[in-house]
Amino acid sequence: MSNLEKYRDRLLRCTRCGVCGAKYDYFAGIFRVCPIVDHSPGFEAYYPRGKISIATEILEGNLTYSEGLAKVLTACSTCMNCAQQCGSTDTKGDPLLNTARIIEAMRADIIDLGLAPEPYVAISSRTEKNYNPYAESHEKRTQWAEGLDAQFGKSNIIYFVGCTSSYRRKEIATDTVKILKKLNIPFSILKDEWCCGSPLWRTGARKLAEKMAKHNVEALKDAKTVITSCAGCARAFLKDYPEIVGDLPFEVLHMTEFLESLMDEGKLTLKEPIAKKVTYHDPCHIGRELLMYDPPRNVLNAIPGIEFVEMKSTRENAWCCGGGGGLKISNPNMAINVATDRLGHAKEVGAEAIISSCPFCKTNLLDAIKKTGSNLEMYDITELVATSIRA
């Protein structure tokens, strides 16, 4: 049975109005909706509405999956802005037509049918073999922590690092550890941490994602609180894992939430000034997916010397960075073009630096900065906190 079947009733309710692809509301900061539209061949199949039509026709038996269709389905960052702007909600207030989830269901179908594009096959095989999507040695996963006197094993608080911070954006992992140690917070790191499974879930490899989730929940079962500095990991734990294992036996906090709670309790004071005009880019994983809009802004505004400015499209209307949902591995040029759009939003408000709280966002925005020769700076929020904190 198609993974789409659970969405049949919702798909049939779509009026094909097209708001998911194009909407303009100056006062709400909505100037476009789908980041793919302007960087695609322009055919309806690349629009959210087109993908809704494709899904409906597949369910009705009027269309079958093919390698060509599978390639079209990779052109989406699953940013969920289309669902945000649709306006149709169910009785719980959740998006009635969540195109991102529908696209993920179709991607799961193409995996099951053996039609997955090569980048999807590669990310699955690498993760299955090495427990990370980068084909890096699992034994070297914690090399970044050498010299930091980090503790490994069981404790009440576990820092779940994530693959990208472990292998690519190591500065986020090291600064997170420095912050926790500076504040004398007892914590440990897992020696046998596996990929959270988010990249697999987004690209349709659900069975393998479930394997990752079950392993991690078992490894973390004795913890009271799990902290992660990765937006993708936070989203996986809080939204994907409950679908697989039910209620989690531990609390999960994104690092920005944890830092905000420490500030509220008077346990964290940021004193070292950072004289910089910055703007904040909302990661889709903790923004539209988890509604974490205030914690990062509250932390940034607590840093002395920071001049904080908002981009026009922000919070629930934020423009995607283009780095998630499997887009960067399957359509790298499109991903960079989407990130370049975001750089333009930051330049419009005169920011010197873009701050985010997701290693995927940092990677793709940095790549766009390098490609375009932009003078914008890019930081994860942990880097600024680590600089400003003073015991």
Side-chain angles (χ1 to χ4, degrees), residues 87-148:
S88 297
T89 59
D90 59 20
T91 55
K92 297 179 181 178
D94 293 326
L96 185 65
L97 279 160
N98 193 325
T99 313
R101 300 295 83 78
I102 291 166
I103 290 170
E104 288 171 3
M106 287 194 283
R107 289 174 175 178
D109 281 347
I110 66 174
I111 291 282
D112 293 343
L113 292 169
L115 295 170
E118 191 280 329
Y120 284 13
V121 174
I123 198 172
S124 293
S125 61
R126 292 196 297 259
T127 306
E128 187 167 26
K129 181 180 179 180
N130 300 293
Y131 311 122
N132 72 82
Y134 298 111
E136 298 283 358
S137 167
H138 181 59
E139 288 69 30
K140 296 180 179 180
R141 190 179 188 95
T142 58
Q143 268 191 350
W144 62 268
E146 291 178 0
L148 294 177

Side-chain angles (χ1 to χ4, degrees), residues 221-232:
K221 66 181 181 181
D222 295 321
K224 289 185 178 179
T225 302
V226 174
I227 302 168
T228 180
S229 50
C230 176

Side-chain angles (χ1 to χ4, degrees), residues 248-291:
L248 298 178
F250 44 78
E251 174 189 37
V252 178
L253 295 174
H254 186 265
M255 189 60 177
T256 57
E257 292 181 296
F258 188 63
L259 291 171
E260 182 188 46
S261 68
L262 292 176
M263 288 185 353
D264 291 344
E265 295 168 10
K267 297 178 180 178
L268 170 61
T269 303
L270 300 173
K271 296 182 178 180
E272 193 68 35
I274 298 177
K276 203 173 291 291
K277 186 175 183 179
V278 309
T279 192
Y280 179 71
H281 167 75
D282 291 279
C284 303
H285 283 308
I286 63 168
R288 279 182 288 268
E289 291 286 357
L290 298 176
L291 307 182

Side-chain angles (χ1 to χ4, degrees), residues 62-74:
N62 300 322
L63 185 66
T64 57
Y65 288 108
S66 65
E67 291 184 358
L69 177 55
K71 185 176 180 180
V72 169
L73 293 176
T74 66

Side-chain angles (χ1 to χ4, degrees), residues 78-335:
T78 66
C79 73
M80 225 181 81
N81 200 23
C82 51
Q84 175 70 40
Q85 306 308 332
C86 173
S88 297
T89 59
D90 59 20
T91 55
K92 297 179 181 178
D94 293 326
L96 185 65
L97 279 160
N98 193 325
T99 313
R101 300 295 83 78
I102 291 166
I103 290 170
E104 288 171 3
M106 287 194 283
R107 289 174 175 178
D109 281 347
I110 66 174
I111 291 282
D112 293 343
L113 292 169
L115 295 170
E118 191 280 329
Y120 284 13
V121 174
I123 198 172
S124 293
S125 61
R126 292 196 297 259
T127 306
E128 187 167 26
K129 181 180 179 180
N130 300 293
Y131 311 122
N132 72 82
Y134 298 111
E136 298 283 358
S137 167
H138 181 59
E139 288 69 30
K140 296 180 179 180
R141 190 179 188 95
T142 58
Q143 268 191 350
W144 62 268
E146 291 178 0
L148 294 177
D149 192 28
Q151 301 300 308
F152 296 91
K154 297 180 180 180
S155 69
N156 287 338
I157 300 176
I158 299 285
Y159 170 37
F160 190 91
V161 185
C163 303
T164 305
S165 296
S166 294
Y167 294 111
R168 293 293 184 268
R169 302 259 64 94
K170 298 178 184 180
E171 67 277 8
I172 296 176
T174 55
D175 280 336
T176 299
V177 166
K178 288 176 182 177
I179 292 167
L180 296 174
K181 290 183 72 66
K182 193 84 169 179
L183 296 172
N184 296 314
I185 294 171
F187 73 99
S188 63
I189 300 167
L190 292 181
K191 274 282 189 182
D192 197 27
E193 174 186 296
W194 287 8
C195 175
C196 70
S198 180
L200 300 170
W201 198 266
R202 310 286 77 81
T203 54
R206 294 187 171 183
K207 292 179 182 177
L208 186 55
E210 289 176 6
K211 179 181 177 180
M212 300 292 126
K214 290 174 181 176
H215 168 86
N216 287 328
V217 170
E218 177 64 24
L220 293 163
K221 66 181 181 181
D222 295 321
K224 289 185 178 179
T225 302
V226 174
I227 302 168
T228 180
S229 50
C230 176
C233 291
R235 181 266 180 86
F237 274 103
L238 292 169
K239 293 205 81 170
D240 297 327
Y241 280 27
E243 293 184 25
I244 302 167
V245 301
D247 293 337
L248 298 178
F250 44 78
E251 174 189 37
V252 178
L253 295 174
H254 186 265
M255 189 60 177
T256 57
E257 292 181 296
F258 188 63
L259 291 171
E260 182 188 46
S261 68
L262 292 176
M263 288 185 353
D264 291 344
E265 295 168 10
K267 297 178 180 178
L268 170 61
T269 303
L270 300 173
K271 296 182 178 180
E272 193 68 35
I274 298 177
K276 203 173 291 291
K277 186 175 183 179
V278 309
T279 192
Y280 179 71
H281 167 75
D282 291 279
C284 303
H285 283 308
I286 63 168
R288 279 182 288 268
E289 291 286 357
L290 298 176
L291 307 182
M292 293 182 195
Y293 299 120
D294 292 329
R297 288 172 170 80
N298 291 339
V299 173
L300 278 175
N301 282 312
I303 299 175
I306 286 287
E307 181 184 351
F308 179 72
V309 292
E310 290 277 17
M311 288 180 274
K312 290 179 181 178
S313 57
T314 187
R315 299 175 76 93
E316 67 272 12
N317 300 320
W319 197 247
C320 178
C321 80
L327 187 69
K328 192 169 179 63
I329 60 167
S330 58
N331 298 271
N333 290 333
M334 187 180 287

